[in-house]
């Protein structure tokens, strides 16, 4: 069976597809946030060491994971755009950057609010924290660089190079707690099993899934605007129902 | 456990609610920004189209 894989890599078709997909990600995201936080606050027991403060984990860990994954996906799209010169790839990279930056910010913010009562400091120049801060700056650098270059194709190329080079920072964040002697604790969830109470795991996984779905929904919504902005001079955009009104 | 105890978070209320409050505020702001960006993009497209329409009628006259 011949499937045209490039069909949806064209902004023309992807614009409509993305619009149809958004509710299928947005609504499950909302439900999973409610379920995850319900389990996290009402089912998961109080921690023996950290008391109620540990409940920050249910947003801190998913936000941190997402900030790293979104960066890799963004760099992947940027690389695809650089190699195959597909217009949509560069637009997807552009659409993912603000969401990734916001997750990096949430990771740092909730980390500070967790660090203060547990470590006695809002911030320490520890390997994990510093590399996550660099991740936020990489996102902001990518956004600023793209915004500063007028020619969109040159902006895509410059942004792609920054995104690809910056992706070496992601494994550094992930392994920082193993490579260096840091204040930040190691991973609680491992491939070999975890040391967490089952309700805590369920809460965290539900919020993680919610964050994933939210990130997809909001990025799809943003890429639709980016398509409209960048394809403004094309006939198909001007023939759209929402433009003709 | 009553609600007052729940909201007190055993003394960690500021840290716990400060984390979740800001996280969800960030989500809300992002959703608003994305909506505004779409409205702006559509408004610009309609403006461009109207200007082009005027030019065309100008030429014809």
């Amino acid at each position: 069976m011949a499937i045209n894989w490039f069909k949806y890599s064209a902004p023309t078709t992807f614009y409509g597809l993305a619009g149809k997909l958004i509710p299928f990600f947005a609504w499950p995201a909302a439900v999973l946030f409610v379920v995850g936080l319900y389990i996290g606050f009402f089912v998961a027991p109080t921690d023996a060491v950290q008391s109620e403060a540990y409940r920050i984990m249910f947003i801190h860990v998913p936000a941190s994971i997402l900030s790293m994954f979104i960066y890799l996906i963004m760099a992947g799209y940027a690389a695809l755009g650089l190699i195959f010169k597909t217009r949509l790839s560069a637009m997807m990279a552009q659409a993912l950057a603000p969401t990734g930056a916001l997750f990096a910010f949430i990771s740092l913010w909730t980390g500070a609010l967790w660090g203060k009562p547990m470590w006695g400091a809002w911030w320490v120049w520890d390997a994990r924290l510093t590399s996550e801060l660099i991740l936020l700056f990489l996102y902001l650098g990518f956004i600023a660089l793209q915004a500063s270059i007028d020619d969109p194709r040159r902006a895509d190329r410059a942004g792609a190079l920054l995104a690809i080079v910056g992706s070496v920072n992601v494994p550094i964040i992930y392994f920082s707690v193993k490579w260096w002697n840091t204040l930040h604790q190691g991973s609680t969830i491992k491939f070999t099993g975890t040391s967490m109470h089952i309700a805590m795991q369920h809460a965290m996984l539900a919020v993680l899934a919610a964050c994933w779905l939210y990130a997809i929904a909001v990025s799809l919504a943003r890429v639709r605007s980016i398509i409209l902005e960048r394809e403004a001079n094309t006939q198909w955009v001007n023939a759209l129902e929402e433009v003709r009104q | 456990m009553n609600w007052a105890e729940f909201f007190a978070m055993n003394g960690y209320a500021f840290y716990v609610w400060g984390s979740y409050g800001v996280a969800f505020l960030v989500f809300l702001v992002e959703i608003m920004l994305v909506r505004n960006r779409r409205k702006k993009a559509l408004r610009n497209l309609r403006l461009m189209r109207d200007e082009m329409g005027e030019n065309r009628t100008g030429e014809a006259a």
Side-chain angles (χ1 to χ4, degrees):
Chain A
M1 196 170 69
I3 301 170
N4 185 1
W5 293 106
F6 284 98
K7 190 185 171 210
Y8 287 107
S9 71
T12 330
T13 33
F14 192 75
Y15 177 84
L17 177 71
K20 286 192 198 97
L21 286 176
I22 290 166
F24 293 97
F25 292 103
W27 287 110
V31 171
L32 279 168
F33 268 124
V34 173
V35 170
L37 293 182
Y38 176 80
I39 300 171
F41 279 98
F42 297 103
V43 182
T46 303
D47 188 73
V49 181
Q50 301 203 2
S51 177
E52 308 295 344
Y54 94 92
R55 293 186 203 273
I56 295 171
M57 172 179 79
F58 302 129
I59 188 72
H60 175 73
V61 175
S64 310
I65 293 175
L66 262 283
S67 70
M68 293 189 277
F69 262 110
I70 292 175
Y71 192 90
L72 292 180
I73 299 167
M74 179 185 94
Y77 271 120
L80 278 180
L82 202 61
I83 298 162
F84 296 110
K85 307 261 181 291
T86 42
R87 285 173 297 165
L88 185 63
S89 315
M91 294 181 198
M92 280 303 294
Q94 230 185 323
L96 284 163
T99 303
L102 289 176
F103 275 112
F105 167 76
I106 293 173
S107 163
L108 292 166
W109 177 269
T110 56
L113 282 170
W114 198 0
K116 184 64 184 169
M118 291 301 129
W119 301 340
W122 300 105
W123 179 264
V124 285
W125 291 101
D126 156 292
R128 176 51 76 76
L129 281 67
T130 308
S131 50
E132 180 74 23
L133 182 67
I134 292 172
L135 182 72
L136 176 62
F137 290 153
L138 281 168
Y139 276 122
L140 298 178
F142 177 86
I143 296 167
L145 183 65
Q146 288 235 311
S148 67
I149 303 174
D150 284 332
D151 176 15
R153 271 171 304 179
R154 277 191 55 220
D156 287 343
R157 273 203 300 276
L161 281 176
L162 175 70
I164 293 163
V165 172
S167 60
V168 294
N169 185 46
V170 173
I172 293 178
I173 303 173
Y174 185 77
F175 291 109
S176 59
V177 287
K178 281 187 189 153
W179 291 346
W180 291 284
N181 191 5
T182 66
L183 189 55
H184 195 286
Q185 67 177 81
S187 316
T188 315
I189 295 191
K190 298 187 187 78
F191 293 111
T192 49
T194 103
S195 52
M196 261 197 300
H197 188 279
I198 190 78
M200 297 181 190
Q201 288 178 49
H202 289 163
M204 201 154 88
L205 288 176
V207 177
L208 179 64
C211 287
W212 260 119
L213 295 166
Y214 167 83
I216 295 170
V218 82
S219 306
L220 286 176
R222 188 180 290 112
V223 83
R224 270 162 65 85
S225 297
I226 294 174
I227 291 172
L228 290 181
E229 290 161 13
R230 292 184 57 167
E231 306 265 298
N233 294 319
T234 61
Q235 227 164 12
W236 75 269
V237 162
N238 289 290
L240 286 169
E241 192 66 42
E242 53 265 47
V243 180
R244 276 192 294 154
Q245 285 165 8
Chain B
M1 187 183 68
N2 60 40
W3 284 105
E5 259 180 64
F6 175 75
F7 285 114
M9 279 286 137
N10 202 15
Y12 295 108
F14 171 74
Y15 305 104
V16 174
W17 303 126
S19 293
Y20 283 93
V22 168
F24 281 94
L25 189 71
V26 165
F27 292 148
L28 276 181
V29 168
E30 186 180 22
I31 291 167
M32 273 164 48
L33 288 175
V34 165
R35 286 214 168 133
N36 282 344
R37 187 165 179 175
R38 177 166 172 83
K39 271 185 211 149
K40 210 178 134 195
L42 287 173
R43 200 169 50 227
N44 283 343
L45 282 168
R46 289 188 203 114
L47 267 173
M48 271 171 49
R49 176 205 57 195
D50 294 345
E51 276 169 20
M52 267 165 51
E54 274 167 30
N55 287 345
R56 232 175 267 144
T57 42
E59 277 163 30

